[in-house]
PDB file of all heavy atoms in Angstrom:
ATOM      1  N   LYS I  53     151.370 107.540  91.331  1.00 77.00           N
ATOM      2  CA  LYS I  53     150.313 106.550  91.476  1.00 77.00           C
ATOM      3  C   LYS I  53     148.927 107.166  91.578  1.00 77.00           C
ATOM      4  O   LYS I  53     147.930 106.457  91.576  1.00 77.00           O
ATOM      5  CB  LYS I  53     150.588 105.682  92.699  1.00 77.00           C
ATOM      6  CG  LYS I  53     151.854 104.837  92.553  1.00 77.00           C
ATOM      7  CD  LYS I  53     152.047 103.920  93.731  1.00 77.00           C
ATOM      8  CE  LYS I  53     153.290 103.045  93.547  1.00 77.00           C
ATOM      9  NZ  LYS I  53     153.501 102.094  94.652  1.00 77.00           N
ATOM     10  N   ASN I  66     143.817 112.833  88.519  1.00 81.00           N
ATOM     11  CA  ASN I  66     144.921 112.830  89.470  1.00 81.00           C
ATOM     12  C   ASN I  66     144.442 112.669  90.906  1.00 81.00           C
ATOM     13  O   ASN I  66     145.124 113.075  91.835  1.00 81.00           O
ATOM     14  CB  ASN I  66     145.744 114.124  89.326  1.00 81.00           C
ATOM     15  CG  ASN I  66     146.466 114.198  87.998  1.00 81.00           C
ATOM     16  OD1 ASN I  66     147.312 113.363  87.694  1.00 81.00           O
ATOM     17  ND2 ASN I  66     146.106 115.188  87.185  1.00 81.00           N
ATOM     18  N   MET I 127     137.928  88.887 120.154  1.00 47.00           N
ATOM     19  CA  MET I 127     136.647  89.541 120.369  1.00 47.00           C
ATOM     20  C   MET I 127     136.293  89.491 121.846  1.00 47.00           C
ATOM     21  O   MET I 127     136.214  88.428 122.444  1.00 47.00           O
ATOM     22  CB  MET I 127     135.558  88.839 119.553  1.00 47.00           C
ATOM     23  CG  MET I 127     135.846  88.800 118.052  1.00 47.00           C
ATOM     24  SD  MET I 127     135.907  90.421 117.302  1.00 47.00           S
ATOM     25  CE  MET I 127     134.165  90.772 117.225  1.00 47.00           C
ATOM     26  N   PRO I 129     133.750  91.088 125.185  1.00 45.00           N
ATOM     27  CA  PRO I 129     132.433  91.648 125.451  1.00 45.00           C
ATOM     28  C   PRO I 129     132.464  93.165 125.426  1.00 45.00           C
ATOM     29  O   PRO I 129     133.484  93.786 125.725  1.00 45.00           O
ATOM     30  CB  PRO I 129     132.098  91.119 126.855  1.00 45.00           C
ATOM     31  CG  PRO I 129     132.937  89.897 127.001  1.00 45.00           C
ATOM     32  CD  PRO I 129     134.197  90.184 126.255  1.00 45.00           C
ATOM     33  N   PRO I 162     121.838  91.515 134.986  1.00 50.00           N
ATOM     34  CA  PRO I 162     121.580  90.637 133.848  1.00 50.00           C
ATOM     35  C   PRO I 162     122.551  90.925 132.716  1.00 50.00           C
ATOM     36  O   PRO I 162     123.036  92.027 132.554  1.00 50.00           O
ATOM     37  CB  PRO I 162     120.137  90.987 133.452  1.00 50.00           C
ATOM     38  CG  PRO I 162     119.942  92.382 133.932  1.00 50.00           C
ATOM     39  CD  PRO I 162     120.760  92.494 135.192  1.00 50.00           C
ATOM     40  N   ARG I 180     110.041  99.841 109.844  1.00 92.00           N
ATOM     41  CA  ARG I 180     110.264 101.019 108.990  1.00 92.00           C
ATOM     42  C   ARG I 180     109.785 100.746 107.569  1.00 92.00           C
ATOM     43  O   ARG I 180     109.166 101.598 106.931  1.00 92.00           O
ATOM     44  CB  ARG I 180     111.747 101.379 109.003  1.00 92.00           C
ATOM     45  CG  ARG I 180     112.075 102.693 108.288  1.00 92.00           C
ATOM     46  CD  ARG I 180     113.540 103.045 108.511  1.00 92.00           C
ATOM     47  NE  ARG I 180     113.800 103.260 109.927  1.00 92.00           N
ATOM     48  CZ  ARG I 180     115.025 103.345 110.452  1.00 92.00           C
ATOM     49  NH1 ARG I 180     116.087 103.198 109.661  1.00 92.00           N
ATOM     50  NH2 ARG I 180     115.195 103.541 111.740  1.00 92.00           N
ATOM     51  N   GLY I 211     123.030  88.607 103.868  1.00 87.00           N
ATOM     52  CA  GLY I 211     123.270  88.795 102.441  1.00 87.00           C
ATOM     53  C   GLY I 211     122.129  88.433 101.527  1.00 87.00           C
ATOM     54  O   GLY I 211     122.277  88.497 100.304  1.00 87.00           O
ATOM     55  N   GLU I 237      92.087  71.310  94.818  1.00 93.00           N
ATOM     56  CA  GLU I 237      91.910  69.939  94.330  1.00 93.00           C
ATOM     57  C   GLU I 237      91.830  68.952  95.495  1.00 93.00           C
ATOM     58  O   GLU I 237      91.068  67.981  95.446  1.00 93.00           O
ATOM     59  CB  GLU I 237      93.057  69.553  93.396  1.00 93.00           C
ATOM     60  CG  GLU I 237      93.060  70.304  92.073  1.00 93.00           C
ATOM     61  CD  GLU I 237      91.772  70.091  91.295  1.00 93.00           C
ATOM     62  OE1 GLU I 237      91.285  68.939  91.280  1.00 93.00           O
ATOM     63  OE2 GLU I 237      91.255  71.066  90.714  1.00 93.00           O
ATOM     64  N   VAL I 241      88.498  66.413  96.420  1.00 93.00           N
ATOM     65  CA  VAL I 241      88.530  64.974  96.703  1.00 93.00           C
ATOM     66  C   VAL I 241      87.617  64.664  97.878  1.00 93.00           C
ATOM     67  O   VAL I 241      86.859  63.672  97.864  1.00 93.00           O
ATOM     68  CB  VAL I 241      89.978  64.514  96.989  1.00 93.00           C
ATOM     69  CG1 VAL I 241      89.993  63.071  97.487  1.00 93.00           C
ATOM     70  CG2 VAL I 241      90.837  64.659  95.743  1.00 93.00           C
ATOM     71  N   LYS I 245      84.000  62.448  98.257  1.00 92.00           N
ATOM     72  CA  LYS I 245      83.883  61.339  99.205  1.00 92.00           C
ATOM     73  C   LYS I 245      82.720  61.518 100.167  1.00 92.00           C
ATOM     74  O   LYS I 245      81.921  60.600 100.384  1.00 92.00           O
ATOM     75  CB  LYS I 245      85.179  61.213 100.021  1.00 92.00           C
ATOM     76  CG  LYS I 245      86.346  60.600  99.271  1.00 92.00           C
ATOM     77  CD  LYS I 245      87.542  60.452 100.207  1.00 92.00           C
ATOM     78  CE  LYS I 245      88.730  59.816  99.495  1.00 92.00           C
ATOM     79  NZ  LYS I 245      89.893  59.693 100.427  1.00 92.00           N
ATOM     80  N   GLU I 306      75.697  66.061  92.709  1.00 89.00           N
ATOM     81  CA  GLU I 306      75.778  64.853  93.527  1.00 89.00           C
ATOM     82  C   GLU I 306      76.648  65.048  94.770  1.00 89.00           C
ATOM     83  O   GLU I 306      76.588  64.242  95.702  1.00 89.00           O
ATOM     84  CB  GLU I 306      76.340  63.705  92.675  1.00 89.00           C
ATOM     85  CG  GLU I 306      77.799  63.849  92.263  1.00 89.00           C
ATOM     86  CD  GLU I 306      78.004  64.772  91.071  1.00 89.00           C
ATOM     87  OE1 GLU I 306      77.002  65.353  90.589  1.00 89.00           O
ATOM     88  OE2 GLU I 306      79.158  64.904  90.609  1.00 89.00           O
ATOM     89  N   LYS I 321      62.390  83.072  97.721  1.00 80.00           N
ATOM     90  CA  LYS I 321      61.801  82.883  96.394  1.00 80.00           C
ATOM     91  C   LYS I 321      62.714  82.037  95.512  1.00 80.00           C
ATOM     92  O   LYS I 321      62.240  81.216  94.711  1.00 80.00           O
ATOM     93  CB  LYS I 321      61.545  84.240  95.735  1.00 80.00           C
ATOM     94  CG  LYS I 321      60.433  85.041  96.406  1.00 80.00           C
ATOM     95  CD  LYS I 321      60.224  86.375  95.698  1.00 80.00           C
ATOM     96  CE  LYS I 321      59.112  87.178  96.379  1.00 80.00           C
ATOM     97  NZ  LYS I 321      58.910  88.495  95.714  1.00 80.00           N
ATOM     98  N   PHE I 337      68.881  75.988 103.791  1.00 65.00           N
ATOM     99  CA  PHE I 337      68.706  76.414 105.186  1.00 65.00           C
ATOM    100  C   PHE I 337      68.787  77.916 105.255  1.00 65.00           C
ATOM    101  O   PHE I 337      69.759  78.532 104.781  1.00 65.00           O
ATOM    102  CB  PHE I 337      69.793  75.786 106.081  1.00 65.00           C
ATOM    103  CG  PHE I 337      69.566  74.323 106.356  1.00 65.00           C
ATOM    104  CD1 PHE I 337      69.942  73.347 105.450  1.00 65.00           C
ATOM    105  CD2 PHE I 337      68.954  73.927 107.529  1.00 65.00           C
ATOM    106  CE1 PHE I 337      69.732  72.021 105.701  1.00 65.00           C
ATOM    107  CE2 PHE I 337      68.709  72.584 107.793  1.00 65.00           C
ATOM    108  CZ  PHE I 337      69.112  71.625 106.882  1.00 65.00           C
TER     109      PHE I 337
END
Side-chain angles (χ1 to χ4, degrees):
K53 295 184 178 182
N66 293 298
M127 302 296 284
R180 187 173 297 168
E237 292 301 319
V241 172
K245 285 183 179 179
E306 68 280 3
K321 291 180 180 179
F337 285 82

